[in-house]
Amino acid sequence: MNIWNMTKKDLVVFFRDRGALTWLFVLPLVFIFIFAGLGGRAMSGDSTSQEEKRTPLGVVNLDQSGATAQLFLKALDQAGGYRVVLYDQQNAEQLMNTAKLRRYLVIPPNFTPDLGQAKPVSLELIVHPNAGEQGTQSILQVINGVAHDTSLELQLLDGIRQMGEMQAANPQSEQIFQAEKVMAQAKAQFERSRGAPLIQVVQGLPQEPKEGELEQADLTQSMVPGITVLFVFLAAQTVARSIYEEKQAGSLRRLLAAPVRGWELMAGKLLPILILTLIQIVFIFAVGALLLPVLGIGRLGIGNDPLAWAVTSILMALCSTSLGILIAAIAKTEGQISGVSNVVLWVAGFLGGTLIPAFLLQQIPVLNFLSKLTPHFWASSAYYDILARGKGLADILPNLGILLGFAAVFFIIGQRRFRFE
Amino acid sequence: MTTILEVENLVKHYGNFQAVKGVSFTVEEGEVFGLLGPNGAGKTTVISMLTGVIPPTSGTARIGGRDIVREALEVKRMIGLVPQDLAIYPTLSARANLNYFGSLYGLKGKELQERVDDVLGIVALTNRQKDAVEKFSGGMKRRVNIAAGLVHQPRLLFLDEPTVGVDPQSRNHIFESVLKLNRERGMSIIYTSHYMEEVELLCNRVAIIDQGQIIALDTIKNLIDMLGGGVIQIGLRQCDEALRAQLQALPAVKQATLLAVPVAVPAGEDAQPAGPESSLVKIEAEKGQQAIINVIGFLNERDIQITSLEILEPNLESVFLHLTGKKLRE
């Protein structure tokens, strides 16, 4: 009850402070527009235009002169949902290495001749390790569908061709075109197409980047989750300052003399900032979802699992505000609060992959190790999985557990170490 | 009379610094008890330990028979604290502040509103209850600060320098409120101040505290009686041990003490500087008037120049000077 009383009071005090309201709403807006504007299609990576709303699908066609390859590409382009964009192999590999292309399909050079001889061929979908699993499955489904249709068509045509050859080999036979035989042949070809399709799709990994070729981050894809985490961890400083201001004003002395337990007092200082941080997150995503598309900048989605997004946001805010309790216990002056907060915000934020994508840092063993010691890493990778890779709650449970652990450790140590003197 | 507070050898260290060096006293139910001492004497540290704001380094205290450390929550329900700082929220109204602090003691609904109405009446702010505290004068803010410590009707109220920076009118309001709470409601009060006039006006008994120790504890009358025939403070151009002994031997003089030479006195203070080359001698008299005549006559006979002369009234200020050799507000 005391926690809620303290929370209500802090929220009322906060909402009467116009400067604080600016912090709550204007700063996130600036943040959204700067970073959304930077990326263009930053927010969800699925920027849309009036002319073309389909998602581009990269294709490397090594059978450029083959008629069947052309037919396949036309069918793929018309299948709906995806727009075929052709690349040459070198260009596609380069884009994949710099994470600017997440997936591309390779049509082998022998595609048309092999299919012409009813020989099975394999298409390879090259997928970047950081590409969203859901998006990959969706593309595979479309390619498989087109491949299946093409296989069936080719195998039926092949069956009819075989019957024509049989007719030619036995001109005196009149029974060969009986309807039952044609149907049986068509059915056999259909079954064969299902059981052993001529065109198969396999998933492949990109080639290792050549030595000296630095992998670059796709900033538009990785920036928003990282910056959102960085922004949420600003709340730690707000909690620490809130406690410090209460101490400076003398009201903390009165609270300590009231029948309020130590953990209740700290929770009462944590909860209002937690609520405000969540309001901020919702505000950021609401503006990203509703306003940015209107402005033609892009769209900030919450991934495919709203529950995963919500739980991650709550635990991230809890971790950040608990960190604020720890900072308040360690830092004795306003200057120390700023100093410690800046270290936490920028150093841990950097190591945690909020400014530079974690997969880049992971290439350096020391940084890879250090990054995992920061809550920012687990928060940003959870957000990244949800927002960019389309993963769900079950996929990010380890991250959530670690964030909860960080929050508990920060809160318990902070509460026990806190001294009024 | 029941004892509401028992303090035994309470100590507080900050590293090597001893802020409170073993304080012991008791306060009876219904008493207004004063803690008088200069700034930095340790009054607020003692209050902070007794109210559970900081833990004592050693020693014990019981409020209403309960240990302040082991039974902290139960103790805190019995006490109210009015800190020296304005521990209220300026953007909230007086009523909202009181509602909030009352809610921390488990008050709610009609009971809370009745208590808030009551304390607003005590501090005479009923007609300004809906205004934000930031619009109040300094004195009115002080009154809200006091009301916030009263809303849950504590048995023992700690008032820590409640009149700092307050205009005379508000100060009178505060005095009236304190007396009313004590006389009409039987509330026990511990009142800390470095203003001896306040303590003399409000308190039954006083503990004089200096450098973390209680140096005297008694009723005001008994403390003043310690001075006997009064205290005279004389500035002399020169004074040595021999002269001090001669002064002490004069009739009607109880004791003469050679004090340190005062180096400077801030502007506005009522003390007179004795001059850079002067010595200050404190004369405790058995008979005030006779002692003055004897001392001045003795000094004139020997042509010793008097640079200042102060006859101290028999009050707590004089008692403090008598006990410590320095003034309360130094």
Side-chain angles (χ1 to χ4, degrees):
Chain A
M1 191 60 189
N2 277 333
I3 296 171
W4 182 237
N5 288 330
M6 284 188 268
T7 301
K8 274 195 301 186
K9 183 272 297 173
D10 269 5
L11 289 176
V12 171
V13 169
F14 182 85
F15 280 105
R16 288 187 182 177
D17 181 351
R18 287 180 186 173
L21 283 174
T22 305
W23 170 80
L24 184 64
F25 295 114
V26 175
L27 201 58
L29 266 182
V30 171
F31 148 77
I32 291 171
F33 285 116
I34 288 175
F35 289 102
L38 273 178
R41 63 186 190 95
M43 294 307 182
S44 62
D46 61 351
S47 174
T48 57
S49 67
Q50 294 297 324
E51 295 78 23
E52 184 54 86
K53 293 185 177 179
R54 294 179 299 164
T55 305
L57 171 60
V59 176
V60 173
N61 183 9
L62 301 176
D63 182 22
Q64 288 186 7
S65 58
T68 310
Q70 294 302 327
L71 282 173
F72 180 81
L73 285 177
K74 193 177 173 187
L76 191 60
D77 196 60
Q78 291 173 348
Y82 293 95
R83 170 170 54 93
V84 170
V85 178
L86 292 170
Y87 294 95
D88 65 48
Q89 190 158 21
Q90 191 183 359
N91 190 20
E93 283 172 4
Q94 199 173 3
L95 290 170
M96 176 68 75
N97 287 339
T98 56
K100 288 176 181 165
L101 188 64
R102 295 303 170 111
R103 306 167 194 89
Y104 65 88
L105 182 69
V106 180
I107 298 176
N110 56 344
F111 186 76
T112 300
D114 281 0
L115 288 176
Q117 294 169 32
K119 288 183 184 170
V121 293
S122 289
L123 301 173
E124 193 174 17
L125 182 69
I126 307 295
V127 180
H128 189 279
N130 283 339
E133 183 58 28
Q134 202 146 358
T136 303
Q137 289 307 319
S138 167
I139 289 173
L140 275 174
Q141 209 167 5
V142 171
I143 298 172
N144 274 320
V146 173
H148 177 262
D149 289 350
T150 307
S151 289
L152 182 61
E153 184 182 339
L154 290 173
Q155 281 171 304
L156 284 172
L157 286 172
D158 185 53
I160 291 166
R161 180 182 56 78
Q162 285 179 22
M163 289 170 70
E165 286 172 1
M166 286 167 65
Q167 175 67 39
N170 300 285
Q172 59 275 55
S173 173
E174 293 179 0
Q175 301 299 314
I176 196 139
F177 291 120
Q178 280 179 352
E180 291 79 8
K181 288 209 171 200
V182 173
M183 283 176 67
Q185 180 66 19
K187 197 172 175 182
Q189 292 296 106
F190 182 74
E191 289 299 325
R192 196 177 148 209
S193 165
R194 285 215 309 191
L198 282 176
I199 306 171
Q200 283 189 319
V201 185
V202 293
Q203 194 175 322
L205 290 169
Q207 290 179 351
E208 287 292 315
K210 289 168 192 167
E211 200 168 337
E213 189 176 34
L214 181 67
E215 188 178 18
Q216 292 176 358
D218 180 351
L219 293 179
T220 59
Q221 288 283 346
S222 53
M223 190 175 276
V224 171
I227 295 292
T228 306
V229 171
L230 189 72
F231 198 79
V232 166
F233 272 86
L234 274 172
Q237 188 169 4
T238 311
V239 172
R241 280 189 184 281
S242 169
I243 294 171
Y244 177 77
E245 283 165 10
E246 196 102 47
K247 193 193 269 189
Q248 285 297 99
S251 44
L252 189 63
R253 180 181 290 275
R254 200 192 283 281
L255 293 177
L256 289 167
V260 180
R261 291 174 180 85
W263 67 267
E264 287 179 316
L265 180 58
M266 290 302 153
K269 295 307 297 175
L270 177 150
L271 189 57
I273 308 297
L274 176 73
I275 291 171
L276 291 171
T277 306
L278 291 175
I279 291 172
Q280 268 188 331
I281 294 173
V282 170
F283 181 71
I284 289 171
F285 279 87
V287 169
L290 303 173
L291 189 59
L292 291 187
V294 175
L295 298 175
I297 294 175
R299 185 176 173 278
L300 176 61
I302 58 169
N304 300 317
D305 187 345
L307 184 63
W309 170 80
V311 175
T312 304
S313 300
I314 290 168
L315 286 181
M316 187 164 46
L318 180 67
C319 191
S320 164
T321 45
S322 299
L323 181 60
I325 300 287
L326 182 60
I327 293 172
I330 294 169
K332 307 294 178 207
T333 64
E334 198 169 11
Q336 287 180 12
I337 289 174
S338 296
V340 175
S341 301
N342 284 336
V343 168
V344 169
L345 184 66
W346 296 111
V347 177
F350 170 79
L351 289 172
T354 61
L355 296 167
I356 296 172
F359 68 83
L360 280 181
L361 294 172
Q362 284 164 357
Q363 293 174 5
I364 304 164
V366 176
L367 294 183
N368 181 32
F369 170 75
L370 290 176
S371 71
K372 290 183 172 62
L373 300 179
T374 68
H376 299 65
F377 170 81
W378 302 99
S380 60
S381 58
Y383 248 7
Y384 193 74
D385 280 348
I386 299 165
L387 303 180
R389 295 178 183 170
K391 289 190 176 179
L393 188 63
D395 303 310
I396 56 162
L397 279 178
N399 295 54
L400 299 182
I402 290 167
L403 278 177
L404 190 62
F406 267 116
V409 169
F410 290 154
F411 186 87
I412 291 168
I413 295 176
Q415 194 260 314
R416 292 196 173 174
R417 269 190 62 101
F418 184 80
R419 296 285 179 271
F420 178 76
E421 303 100 306
Chain B
M1 250 187 181
T2 318
T3 301
I4 181 86
L5 171 65
E6 300 163 79
V7 182
E8 287 174 30
N9 202 26
L10 211 56
V11 173
K12 184 67 187 179
H13 291 180
Y14 292 105
N16 292 327
F17 174 67
Q18 286 188 296
V20 177
K21 303 167 184 170
V23 163
S24 301
F25 60 94
T26 58
V27 176
E28 303 303 320
E29 190 102 51
E31 186 178 16
V32 182
F33 184 87
L35 267 180
L36 180 70
N39 288 328
K43 304 184 298 291
T44 299
T45 309
V46 170
I47 296 285
S48 297
M49 286 189 281
L50 295 178
T51 53
V53 174
I54 56 173
T57 305
S58 64
T60 59
R62 283 176 295 280
I63 294 176
R66 292 182 182 271
D67 188 276
I68 60 162
V69 175
R70 287 197 299 273
E71 300 167 282
L73 279 184
E74 289 78 4
V75 166
K76 287 176 179 183
R77 286 193 185 95
M78 285 189 273
I79 63 171
L81 171 65
V82 177
Q84 202 174 124
D85 303 308
L86 284 172
I88 45 179
Y89 301 97
T91 55
L92 300 185
S93 69
R95 189 171 197 96
N97 267 289
L98 300 179
N99 276 335
Y100 170 61
F101 287 113
S103 71
L104 296 179
Y105 290 82
L107 296 173
K108 55 187 175 184
K110 194 181 169 191
E111 187 188 13
L112 175 61
Q113 297 315 314
E114 284 174 356
R115 295 276 183 92
V116 170
D117 288 337
D118 181 41
V119 291
L120 282 168
I122 290 172
V123 296
L125 283 173
T126 305
N127 58 343
R128 298 291 304 274
Q129 60 177 294
K130 290 180 182 169
D131 293 345
V133 170
E134 63 192 352
K135 294 176 183 166
F136 286 5
S137 69
M140 289 163 73
K141 286 176 185 169
R142 282 275 161 204
R143 278 141 67 188
V144 179
N145 198 37
I146 290 174
L150 297 174
V151 70
H152 59 288
Q153 293 184 348
R155 277 176 69 189
L156 177 61
L157 179 66
F158 291 88
L159 288 164
D160 190 8
E161 306 260 12
T163 58
V164 172
V166 171
D167 59 276
Q169 193 188 353
S170 287
R171 184 175 289 205
N172 287 337
H173 265 299
I174 290 169
F175 293 161
E176 283 169 23
S177 304
V178 171
L179 291 171
K180 195 173 173 182
L181 287 166
N182 176 248
R183 289 172 188 168
E184 295 179 12
R185 305 189 181 207
M187 191 179 285
S188 309
I189 295 169
I190 293 182
Y191 192 99
T192 81
S193 179
H194 62 276
Y195 296 120
M196 60 102 190
E197 305 89 345
E198 294 182 4
V199 173
E200 284 179 351
L201 176 72
L202 299 170
C203 301
N204 310 108
R205 287 192 307 141
V206 178
I208 297 178
I209 186 165
D210 187 45
Q211 296 184 344
Q213 286 176 306
I214 290 179
I215 54 175
L217 195 165
D218 213 326
T219 61
I220 292 168
K221 183 179 178 305
N222 288 346
L223 287 172
I224 291 172
D225 284 349
M226 281 169 62
L227 296 175
V231 174
I232 307 155
Q233 199 166 281
I234 303 176
L236 300 175
R237 182 62 70 194
Q238 282 182 327
C239 183
D240 53 18
E241 176 54 30
L243 180 59
R244 186 204 64 77
Q246 287 174 316
L247 288 171
Q248 189 165 304
L250 289 172
V253 173
K254 189 172 157 188
Q255 191 171 4
T257 311
L258 186 58
L259 302 178
V261 176
V263 288
V265 175
E269 292 286 339
D270 51 6
Q272 297 298 313
E277 296 172 4
S278 298
S279 299
L280 205 57
V281 181
K282 185 179 76 173
I283 307 284
E284 291 170 45
E286 286 170 349
K287 293 176 184 173
Q289 276 190 329
Q290 191 59 50
I292 292 171
I293 292 166
N294 293 346
V295 167
I296 292 175
F298 176 81
L299 293 171
N300 282 339
E301 279 172 18
R302 283 156 185 78
D303 203 20
I304 298 171
Q305 193 182 344
I306 300 172
T307 56
S308 67
L309 175 67
E310 193 176 0
I311 301 164
L312 302 174
E313 290 176 32
N315 57 26
L316 289 176
E317 180 81 43
S318 310
V319 172
F320 189 78
L321 182 75
H322 168 66
L323 292 169
T324 65
K326 60 188 181 187
K327 295 199 170 192
L328 262 173
R329 293 174 211 182
E330 276 177 6

